[in-house]
Amino acid sequence: MAENDLRRYYLFAIRAMTDITGTVLVPGILTLAARYAYHNLAYEQLIFFISLPVVFGLSMVVVVKKIQRYGEEYKKLINSQ
């Protein structure tokens, strides 16, 4: 039964899923929250619509790097058996 233990695979999958999901969602939520900080500015909508694609573009670069890192960790996890 010890050879068929899937716990470490499930933990790896949950860790990767939460890390990548947080990397996608948190910058968008922070950008939306920052919109209220500059609520009274003249170009409020323009600033928001420019900052949103910039933030998501940067977060996608980070997501790609994290996926590559998790791919390497997964290969190590598979090869450790």
Side-chain angles (χ1 to χ4, degrees):
M1 178 124 180
E3 296 174 11
N4 216 2
D5 186 27
L6 297 176
R7 183 177 188 272
R8 59 184 173 169
Y9 297 112
Y10 284 124
L11 289 176
F12 174 78
I14 290 171
R15 183 170 46 103
M17 180 186 64
T18 55
D19 189 19
I20 292 170
T21 303
T23 304
V24 172
L25 289 179
V26 169
I29 292 171
L30 291 177
T31 303
L32 188 61
R35 183 177 186 183
Y36 294 109
Y38 50 79
H39 180 68
N40 294 328
L41 293 179
Y43 298 107
E44 167 195 359
Q45 289 182 348
L46 181 65
I47 293 171
F48 176 70
F49 286 121
I50 289 173
S51 65
L52 198 60
V54 168
V55 166
F56 277 121
L58 292 174
S59 67
M60 287 302 115
V61 169
V62 174
V63 164
V64 167
K65 290 183 180 191
K66 284 186 179 187
I67 288 174
Q68 290 173 346
R69 188 188 66 197
Y70 280 123
E72 293 172 4
E73 283 186 41
Y74 181 71
K75 287 179 186 176
K76 290 178 185 176
L77 187 65
I78 295 295
N79 292 333
S80 68
Q81 285 187 347

